[in-house]
Amino acid sequence: MRIYTGKGVYGAVAIGKIAVFKRKELSVKRFHVEDRNKEKKRVEAAKNVAREELQDIYDKALKEVGEANAQIFEMHMMMLDDVDYNDSICNIIETQAVNAEYAVAVTSDNFSEMFSSMEDAYMKERAADIRDISNRLIRKLQTDKDENTLEMDKVIICADDLAPSETVLLDKDKVLAFVTSHGSSNSHTAILARNMNIPAIIGVGDEFLQEISDGVSAIVDGFTGEIYVEPDEKTSKKLLKKQQKDEEKRKLLQELRGKENITRDGKKINVYANIGSVENIGAVLLNDADGIGLFRSEFLYLESKDYPTEERQFIAYRKVLESMAGKRVIIRTLDIGADKQVDYFGLKKEENPALGCRAIRICLTRPEIFKTQLRALYRASTYGNLGIMFPMITSVREVEEILSMCSEVKAELINEGVEVSDKIELGVMIETPAAAIISDMLAPMVDFFSVGTNDLTQYTLACDRQNPEIEDFMDTHHEAILRLIATAADNAHKHGAWIGICGELAADTSLTERFLRMGIDELSVSPSFVLNVRGAIRDIDLTK
Amino acid sequence: MVKKEIKVINELGMHMRPAGILAKRAMAYNNCDITLRVNGKSVNAKALMQIMSAGVKCGNTVEIICDGMDEEMALDELVGLFEGGFGE
């Protein structure tokens, strides 16, 4: 048994035989031509065929891996039409009186070298795109029809690296896994493998390819990034078990997709997803969440070097709302301070940041920042079903101030002729003991509560979340926390508000039944936990 | 000729997607020369590979220069693309 290690880019186990990916070598000869215009016309004709092929690949990728990943082939079509790239090909034909294939090959070398020599890791990878389109063009010039096809059934594809179009064109039903000796997490192979749900390991090193051959048995563990060639019996057994377990889990979850979040006795619970950036929406939809229960708006502030403008925020919020197509989207206003620091806010160093100027406290002391965010949110409100929630509430006065700012912003926008939805729900987070205890006073003021269990635990148990020394004292199932949540749930319902939980505890399926018995209406969890929670809900019978 | 300076807010800089969108939109202005000046280099905004090869990073300032027919309109549209982070 030999073990090679690389970087696992998709966690799953594959057991099977190796197939070394063979690329038809392109050999390009340089020869003199008399009719330069004819060569140029050949390039145009080849480009047309290549463009059609790319369109087909784009369509295939669109179906299999989604728009975001298919876009690369749209870019390839654009590269094919790039002015400089084409000028270079024509110039070489014109000045050297050589054949089209040669002109494309030289251009390919020059352009890919330019990208390889760039410092940026992402840009370096783009050399592969140049080679991919150029090789396609050369193949078309040589009127080569065959793409790479696999003869064997169900194999582990091993290659030095795979061009994006090569990855997409492989017959998915025959691929058990990808292993490449090169490549990075930025490479398309990695990205596509993740989206095709195929275990993949990249960067296993050069010796790997030299030491394997077609038909040799192997096991790929995408979780650990290990590939076992000619595995011994013990390893085979162990990994077979791992594979079965993983597949069972997947199957179970797959069965739950499209199902309702409904208890045995018929009570419907909303299971939403927590996300931190626009890019996560794909995962929300994939895992079949009913909506977004917590959209952390901080990323807009953390990723920029200055206060994000109203326009930039508006575009991000609109995108989330549009992507969720009318499903509820709850956006939490700025929650920085404590463990999330942003330089340009110029916040003072605090002895005790968790108890300091953070979240809503910043918003209320610096209303200009808060107002920009509220304006962007209200402007985006017509694009979907928006809820806005405010973090770190401790008093009625804070909520009064927030609500009056909201009305002010709304009136201002209407005055400016901007359309604003009148169905926006406003809610507060219950993440301080104070908020839970006065939840009877807060409930009449809002449409919903959302319990942030991480901070609620920290503040209730007086345990610093960041301090690993006291982990043993941080009992997340502590009766005090559960009682505070129950109090908030009772008070919410008395005043016609709904209540959800968006902290980590929401995904803890050992508590799901307890939460449901309290009357919790919504659980918001990381996208990958949505189906787990759905499974737990469907097993509960509240009449028993 | 009209021009304007603008900051790049895209996290990954002008990677393939934003560069592609920019080139595509710029190409729509047939009779207008559009140049980007960044990091001491001048590149043709209609040429995808040139834009990418300029290695524009997040936080870089780019000067957009439009010269020709509909130059105002072109400048407005391209500035808008940068401001909106190319929809990312």
Side-chain angles (χ1 to χ4, degrees):
Chain A
M1 179 171 76
R2 280 164 288 150
I3 305 172
Y4 301 87
T5 313
K7 191 165 178 243
V9 288
Y10 182 77
V13 177
I15 303 173
K17 295 219 180 323
I18 284 177
V20 182
F21 185 78
K22 287 179 208 74
R23 211 170 265 123
K24 205 165 181 188
E25 280 297 316
L26 281 174
S27 69
V28 174
K29 291 200 180 72
R30 178 183 197 271
F31 53 84
H32 181 78
V33 295
E34 290 299 330
D35 190 348
R36 296 169 195 173
N37 278 335
K38 188 179 147 211
E39 291 306 300
K40 289 185 198 164
K41 278 190 188 128
R42 284 181 59 222
V43 174
E44 280 311 310
K47 263 172 61 185
N48 288 336
V49 184
R51 209 178 290 118
E52 276 169 32
E53 271 184 10
L54 282 166
Q55 185 65 50
D56 290 345
I57 299 176
Y58 173 82
D59 294 339
K60 185 168 191 275
L62 193 64
K63 260 186 262 147
E64 287 177 3
V65 293
E67 201 202 336
N69 293 297
Q71 240 169 17
I72 169 77
F73 301 109
E74 206 185 353
M75 293 305 149
H76 279 191
M77 286 186 252
M78 284 188 73
M79 280 186 168
L80 213 50
D81 287 324
D82 184 76
V83 213
D84 296 300
Y85 183 78
N86 285 293
D87 280 356
S88 165
I89 296 171
C90 286
N91 269 331
I92 294 169
I93 296 175
E94 194 61 45
T95 56
Q96 305 183 24
V98 287
N99 53 321
E101 292 87 341
Y102 179 77
V104 174
V106 173
T107 302
S108 170
D109 286 347
N110 291 342
F111 277 79
S112 55
E113 200 166 302
M114 171 181 85
F115 282 107
S116 321
S117 64
M118 285 173 77
E119 275 170 33
D120 188 289
Y122 172 85
M123 286 299 174
K124 266 191 206 303
E125 286 287 333
R126 303 291 70 79
D129 293 304
I130 306 277
R131 284 193 298 269
D132 196 10
I133 60 157
S134 303
N135 288 346
R136 177 172 307 283
L137 206 49
I138 292 170
R139 280 200 301 272
K140 293 313 125 195
L141 283 164
Q142 296 176 335
T143 57
D144 183 358
K145 280 189 287 292
D146 67 340
E147 292 290 343
N148 285 289
T149 45
L150 297 172
E151 284 159 26
M152 275 192 285
D153 223 33
K154 287 271 185 193
V155 285
I156 298 168
I157 302 283
C158 300
D160 51 353
D161 202 354
L162 289 166
S165 61
E166 289 170 339
T167 317
V168 169
L169 284 174
L170 287 170
D171 189 348
K172 245 178 89 179
D173 297 331
K174 288 185 180 168
V175 180
L176 286 171
F178 292 119
V179 182
T180 63
S181 28
H182 299 279
S184 71
S185 323
N186 273 332
S187 69
H188 296 296
T189 312
I191 298 167
L192 292 172
R194 275 194 286 266
N195 281 282
M196 290 156 90
N197 298 347
I198 293 173
I201 300 179
I202 54 168
V204 286
D206 282 322
E207 65 276 18
F208 171 68
L209 272 189
Q210 288 151 20
E211 292 166 17
I212 55 162
S213 55
D214 281 342
V216 172
S217 64
I219 304 177
V220 174
D221 185 345
F223 294 101
T224 60
E226 277 162 330
I227 167 159
Y228 305 87
V229 177
E230 297 179 311
D232 58 33
E233 206 179 320
K234 200 176 135 208
T235 311
S236 299
K237 263 194 188 151
K238 196 180 99 193
L239 279 141
L240 184 65
K241 220 173 186 179
K242 190 167 177 178
Q243 185 188 38
Q244 283 167 345
K245 242 177 139 179
D246 180 52
E247 277 174 1
E248 262 168 42
K249 196 177 150 200
R250 257 171 234 272
K251 212 177 125 209
L252 184 74
L253 294 183
Q254 215 48 48
E255 276 168 15
L256 289 169
R257 264 181 65 100
K259 295 271 165 66
E260 273 194 292
N261 304 305
I262 193 162
T263 60
R264 282 168 187 265
D265 53 310
K267 180 162 181 192
K268 173 135 175 44
I269 306 294
N270 288 321
V271 181
Y272 292 166
N274 297 341
I275 60 170
S277 88
V278 181
E279 278 89 67
N280 299 140
I281 295 172
V284 175
L285 299 173
L286 185 76
N287 287 288
D288 199 25
D290 299 338
I292 293 173
L294 166 62
F295 181 80
R296 303 181 183 90
S297 62
E298 293 85 77
F299 83 96
L300 285 166
Y301 297 83
L302 293 167
E303 74 182 17
S304 55
K305 295 188 174 64
D306 202 348
Y307 298 103
T309 59
E310 178 183 317
E311 192 63 20
R312 174 147 169 68
Q313 295 194 48
F314 164 70
I315 289 169
Y317 303 147
R318 184 181 71 188
K319 193 162 176 193
V320 181
L321 286 161
E322 281 180 339
S323 312
M324 292 305 291
K327 289 180 176 172
R328 198 185 251 154
V329 174
I330 295 176
I331 299 178
R332 178 176 71 188
T333 58
L334 178 63
D335 184 12
I336 66 157
D339 53 334
K340 290 177 225 134
Q341 288 292 340
V342 182
D343 288 342
Y344 59 81
F345 271 75
L347 297 173
K348 289 199 189 87
K349 265 243 171 295
E350 293 172 312
E351 280 286 314
N352 219 336
L355 305 179
C357 191
R358 55 172 292 201
I360 204 68
R361 297 172 182 176
I362 295 178
C363 293
L364 292 175
T365 46
R366 299 171 70 173
E368 69 287 355
I369 298 173
F370 193 36
K371 236 177 117 177
T372 305
Q373 182 167 35
L374 288 176
R375 277 183 62 96
L377 285 165
Y378 271 82
R379 277 177 60 196
S381 64
T382 51
Y383 292 89
N385 184 2
L386 174 69
I388 306 175
M389 72 175 169
F390 306 98
M392 271 298 282
I393 298 299
T394 53
S395 72
V396 170
R397 180 187 62 88
E398 288 160 356
V399 181
E400 279 169 355
E401 269 183 52
I402 292 165
L403 295 179
S404 100
M405 278 182 79
C406 287
S407 322
E408 204 180 295
V409 163
K410 189 175 174 184
E412 207 175 272
L413 285 168
I414 292 170
N415 218 359
E416 290 168 22
V418 180
E419 210 185 322
V420 173
S421 163
D422 50 10
K423 291 195 190 75
I424 307 173
E425 290 182 295
L426 299 177
V428 292
M429 287 199 67
I430 302 290
E431 52 185 342
T432 63
I437 293 164
I438 61 161
S439 51
D440 58 325
M441 298 159 82
L442 298 175
M445 308 173 78
V446 297
D447 299 303
F448 68 92
F449 284 158
S450 186
V451 183
T453 53
N454 304 0
D455 271 327
L456 186 63
T457 308
Q458 145 164 294
Y459 295 132
T460 307
L461 304 181
C463 274
D464 184 351
R465 273 163 69 177
Q466 317 284 336
N467 187 348
E469 298 281 311
I470 50 169
E471 234 175 64
D472 288 347
F473 297 91
M474 186 103 172
D475 173 13
T476 53
H477 290 201
H478 198 293
E479 193 55 32
I481 299 160
L482 297 172
R483 285 190 199 175
L484 285 173
I485 299 174
T487 306
D490 283 345
N491 287 325
H493 293 145
K494 260 182 221 155
H495 297 279
W498 59 268
I499 179 165
I501 300 177
C502 66
E504 269 168 46
L505 228 46
D508 186 337
T509 47
S510 67
L511 286 173
T512 310
E513 180 161 0
R514 176 103 190 242
F515 288 148
L516 263 47
R517 289 193 187 279
M518 286 176 191
I520 296 294
D521 303 291
E522 174 244 17
L523 294 165
S524 191
V525 298
S526 297
S528 58
F529 289 125
V530 166
L531 293 172
N532 277 323
V533 173
R534 174 171 301 167
I537 291 171
R538 294 173 64 87
D539 275 342
I540 292 169
D541 186 343
L542 293 171
T543 57
K544 280 185 187 152
Chain B
M1 187 186 72
V2 290
K3 55 187 181 180
K4 191 168 181 188
E5 282 194 353
I6 181 120
K7 219 177 208 177
V8 177
I9 56 170
N10 288 66
E11 201 179 345
L12 292 170
M14 292 297 285
H15 63 108
M16 203 182 305
R17 192 180 156 276
I21 295 173
L22 178 67
K24 208 186 219 167
R25 295 311 311 152
M27 269 189 273
Y29 296 94
N30 273 332
N31 299 311
C32 182
D33 288 328
I34 305 178
T35 312
L36 304 180
R37 202 170 289 159
V38 61
N39 302 334
K41 275 178 269 188
S42 283
V43 295
N44 178 358
K46 297 175 184 178
L48 174 65
M49 302 227 201
Q50 277 193 35
I51 303 172
M52 287 172 61
S53 66
V56 184
K57 294 201 170 61
C58 182
N60 280 166
T61 302
V62 175
E63 189 179 22
I64 309 174
I65 304 157
C66 301
D67 191 4
M69 217 200 278
D70 296 325
E71 53 187 27
E72 296 275 354
M73 201 162 96
L75 187 66
D76 281 349
E77 176 172 3
L78 300 189
V79 166
L81 286 175
F82 276 94
E83 275 177 349
F86 294 88
E88 290 193 332

